[in-house]
């Protein structure tokens, strides 16, 4: 039922402009001309959605089909998950589309939600400066820029994972295309592969197979997939950036769970079972995400 309501809202948002002109004195979603919104109107909207669907996703999305029973006591994952962490180029493509559709706005150094359940929340921090440590200069710095008319990406960082994105910003990206963030247990089901893994990259970890503390790279993050694939053919489920999930760290608060460790994390933090938590508005140098459907 929730999904049906959500889809209906998408329809209403998509068609308001057209119908306002057709029936100026009636509700914007009145399609059949009887000056009320009823099931017949929604049926017309549904047929339009079946034709056009959600907006096409950003370039470079690669999906892996997975059916994993999950960790004992928790749900498994049966669907498709993105092979790569979401990149700067993909997030910039989303921001450009969402700006045109009115879903976001720019306020100072922040990209802010302008519609939907996260209206007013910060999605992205444009001036995120990164962190200089352990041989890395400005590691994980924000690489998406606002020119005043469009969003662009620093040259050479198009395929690095997006950082300085909040849980709100990650969730909004996924929802825009009809996708979602994985739950933390779905994420773990995929990361531990057949149950034999300790890390998302395998049974052990070293700096040749994962980007974490000690795997010194001049910009902190590395291009997604730079360390190869593991398990179901996934990449960077250990290191590079922490990945937002939909899970609550504790039902008593609003912290959201991140998994997998980041470019500056210790090997212990990179274990697939290590739970990190942050407020959903957290915008940091090593926070990113991947999506599923």
């Amino acid at each position: 039922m929730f999904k049906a309501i959500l889809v209906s809202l998408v329809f209403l948002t998509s068609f308001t402009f057209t119908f306002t002109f057709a029936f100026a004195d009636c509700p914007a979603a009145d399609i059949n001309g009887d000056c009320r919104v009823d099931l017949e109107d929604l049926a017309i909207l549904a047929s339009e959605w079946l034709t056009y669907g959600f907006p096409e996703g950003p370039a470079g999305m690669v999906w892996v089909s997975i059916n994993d029973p999950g960790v004992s006591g928790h749900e498994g994952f049966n669907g498709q998950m993105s092979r790569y962490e979401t990149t700067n180029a993909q997030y910039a493509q989303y921001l450009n589309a969402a700006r045109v559709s009115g879903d976001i706005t720019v306020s100072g150094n922040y990209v802010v939600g302008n519609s939907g359940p996260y209206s007013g929340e910060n999605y992205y921090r444009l001036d995120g400066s990164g962190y200089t440590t352990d041989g890395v200069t400005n590691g994980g710095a924000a690489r998406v820029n606002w020119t005043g008319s469009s969003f662009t990406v620093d040259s050479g960082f198009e395929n690095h994972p997006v950082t300085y994105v909040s849980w709100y910003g990650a969730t909004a990206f996924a929802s825009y295309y009809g996708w979602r963030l994985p739950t933390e247990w779905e994420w773990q089901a995929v990361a531990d592969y057949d149950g034999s893994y300790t890390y998302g990259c395998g049974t052990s970890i070293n700096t040749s197979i994962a980007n974490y503390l000690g795997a010194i790279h001049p910009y902190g993050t590395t291009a997604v997939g730079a360390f190869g694939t593991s398990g179901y053919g996934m990449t960077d489920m250990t290191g590079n950036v922490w990945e937002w999930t939909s899970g609550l760290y504790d039902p008593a608060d609003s912290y959201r769970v991140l998994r997998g460790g980041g470019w500056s994390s210790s090997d212990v933090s990179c274990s697939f079972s290590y739970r990190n938590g942050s407020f959903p508005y957290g915008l940091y140098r090593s926070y990113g995400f991947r999506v599923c459907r």
Side-chain angles (χ1 to χ4, degrees), residues 184-185 187-188 237 241-245 257-261 269 271-276:
E184 66 164 310
W185 302 111
W187 188 97
Q188 185 168 328
M237 296 200 80
V241 291
W242 286 96
E243 298 178 14
W244 287 111
T245 73
V257 175
L258 299 106
R259 293 294 200 102
S269 300
S271 166
F272 71 73
S273 59
Y274 188 92
R275 302 175 78 228
N276 185 13

Side-chain angles (χ1 to χ4, degrees), residues 127-205:
D127 67 340
S129 60
Y131 188 59
T132 298
T133 182
D134 193 33
V136 177
T137 301
N138 298 331
R143 303 295 179 180
V144 177
N145 311 292
W146 170 242
T147 68
S149 59
S150 66
F151 293 94
T152 62
V153 179
D154 290 345
S155 179
F157 292 92
E158 293 85 353
N159 290 325
H160 282 235
V162 64
T163 56
Y164 284 98
V165 58
S166 69
W167 181 87
Y168 295 120
T171 302
F173 171 97
S175 298
Y176 189 82
Y177 298 109
W179 309 331
R180 62 183 177 85
L181 298 183
T183 70
E184 66 164 310
W185 302 111
E186 287 177 326
W187 188 97
Q188 185 168 328
V190 173
D192 83 344
Y193 187 40
D194 59 2
S196 65
Y197 279 17
T198 304
Y199 303 91
C201 57
T203 57
S204 61
I205 187 173

Side-chain angles (χ1 to χ4, degrees), residues 49-242:
W49 179 80
L50 290 172
T51 301
Y52 298 107
F54 287 96
E56 185 178 352
M61 293 302 299
V62 178
W63 299 98
V64 179
S65 297
I66 301 169
N67 187 355
D68 189 289
V71 183
S72 178
H74 298 285
E75 76 267 23
F77 179 76
N78 185 5
Q80 293 184 317
M81 190 173 289
S82 56
R83 171 167 289 161
Y84 305 106
E85 294 167 328
T86 304
T87 66
N88 288 311
Q90 290 168 338
Y91 203 73
Q93 186 174 338
Y94 154 69
L95 292 179
N96 280 316
R99 185 187 69 84
V100 172
S101 64
D103 290 336
I104 62 158
T105 188
V106 178
S107 178
N109 289 314
Y110 294 90
V111 176
V112 183
N114 197 44
S115 67
Y118 310 125
S119 179
E121 299 291 352
N122 292 331
Y123 285 6
Y124 184 80
R125 181 178 172 182
L126 293 159
D127 67 340
S129 60
Y131 188 59
T132 298
T133 182
D134 193 33
V136 177
T137 301
N138 298 331
R143 303 295 179 180
V144 177
N145 311 292
W146 170 242
T147 68
S149 59
S150 66
F151 293 94
T152 62
V153 179
D154 290 345
S155 179
F157 292 92
E158 293 85 353
N159 290 325
H160 282 235
V162 64
T163 56
Y164 284 98
V165 58
S166 69
W167 181 87
Y168 295 120
T171 302
F173 171 97
S175 298
Y176 189 82
Y177 298 109
W179 309 331
R180 62 183 177 85
L181 298 183
T183 70
E184 66 164 310
W185 302 111
E186 287 177 326
W187 188 97
Q188 185 168 328
V190 173
D192 83 344
Y193 187 40
D194 59 2
S196 65
Y197 279 17
T198 304
Y199 303 91
C201 57
T203 57
S204 61
I205 187 173
N206 62 68
T207 56
S208 68
I209 59 175
N211 181 17
Y212 66 108
L213 186 65
I216 299 173
H217 298 280
Y219 307 111
T221 59
T222 52
V224 297
F227 288 83
T229 62
S230 57
Y232 290 109
M234 306 296 285
T235 69
D236 297 308
M237 296 200 80
T238 296
N240 218 7
V241 291
W242 286 96

Side-chain angles (χ1 to χ4, degrees), residues 7-30:
V7 169
S8 297
L9 291 175
V10 172
F11 301 156
L12 296 179
T13 302
S14 300
F15 288 88
T16 298
F17 182 82
T18 301
F19 305 135
T20 299
F21 281 88
F23 306 103
D25 298 324
C26 299
D30 170 37

